[in-house]
Amino acid sequence: MEKLLIAKVSKPQGIKGELKCQLFTDVFEAVTKAKRVFIEDNICEVERSAIRGGDLYLKLLGINDRNNAEIFRNALIYLPKEEIAEKKQTDFLVDDLLGMTLYDKSGELVGQIVDYEDYGSAPILSIEERGHVYEVPYICEVFITDGDRLVVDRKKYEENRI
């Protein structure tokens, strides 16, 4: 089973065993609807979860006090990939983007996505093209969804690459 990193436990929250977690994804619906998560290599049943102030608050079944929740401090949280696979057709997981080969509308090779950064505005894709790496904002004017792949508008791509 393939797992995707979604969050890291920051600290216990309150006295009833809730965990405050730093999110690494914006697929909020999949995260809040998850019935189970992996914390490190252990599978845990989710009693409830919510997104508040940009953080994930997670209550695990059987963790009912702050002392029991404390053992999860700084632990990494994963979701099975199939639980996140329920996404809009225009969405891609970062895991799917990295390594993706890009072509333009005429089928000509553009390059390969080698990195992804998100600074709060449009995410930035690093694309290796003929031995050079260019950064391009991930915007709909440049990247067009074609099934399970992206196609590049060559003119807009060249105007936006850094």
Side-chain angles (χ1 to χ4, degrees):
M1 171 186 330
E2 193 172 356
K3 301 180 290 188
L4 296 173
L5 178 63
I6 61 157
K8 179 179 179 182
V9 177
S10 302
K11 64 178 187 166
Q13 178 66 32
I15 61 171
K16 296 185 179 180
E18 190 174 54
L19 302 171
K20 180 179 180 181
C21 310
Q22 175 188 5
L23 274 170
F24 300 142
T25 181
D26 63 357
V27 186
F28 300 134
E29 187 174 354
V31 172
T32 57
K33 288 186 175 184
K35 301 292 182 210
R36 62 190 172 115
V37 295
F38 287 88
I39 299 187
E40 301 297 344
D41 290 326
N42 303 310
I43 192 161
C44 300
E45 298 296 319
V46 175
E47 188 175 313
R48 69 177 181 275
S49 61
I51 308 289
R52 296 191 304 261
D55 292 314
L56 170 65
Y57 289 83
L58 197 61
K59 175 68 175 76
L60 302 176
L61 201 59
I63 306 299
N64 297 316
D65 63 43
R66 187 176 184 88
N67 291 336
N68 288 332
E70 184 65 42
I71 64 171
F72 294 107
R73 185 183 291 264
N74 296 318
L76 298 176
I77 301 175
Y78 300 85
L79 266 184
K81 188 172 182 177
E82 62 268 11
E83 290 197 26
I84 296 181
E86 297 281 330
K87 58 189 187 312
K88 294 181 278 183
Q89 283 195 327
T90 57
D91 287 345
F92 288 93
L93 300 173
V94 172
D95 191 51
D96 295 333
L97 286 174
L98 295 176
M100 184 183 284
T101 303
L102 296 174
Y103 296 90
D104 65 14
K105 291 179 183 179
S106 67
E108 187 178 325
L109 177 67
V110 172
Q112 184 176 34
I113 301 172
V114 295
D115 200 6
Y116 172 98
E117 294 291 334
D118 191 348
Y119 300 109
S121 183
I124 304 294
L125 298 181
S126 295
I127 300 166
E128 185 174 345
E129 179 184 350
R130 296 181 185 94
H132 299 284
V133 176
Y134 298 100
E135 293 183 337
V136 183
Y138 183 50
I139 54 178
C140 60
E141 290 83 19
V142 176
F143 298 96
I144 301 132
T145 304
D146 182 17
D148 61 349
R149 65 187 191 119
L150 289 178
V151 176
V152 173
D153 180 313
R154 176 69 78 169
K155 182 178 182 221
K156 300 222 186 246
Y157 169 80
E158 290 177 1
E159 290 172 356
N160 284 281
R161 72 181 184 186
I162 303 169

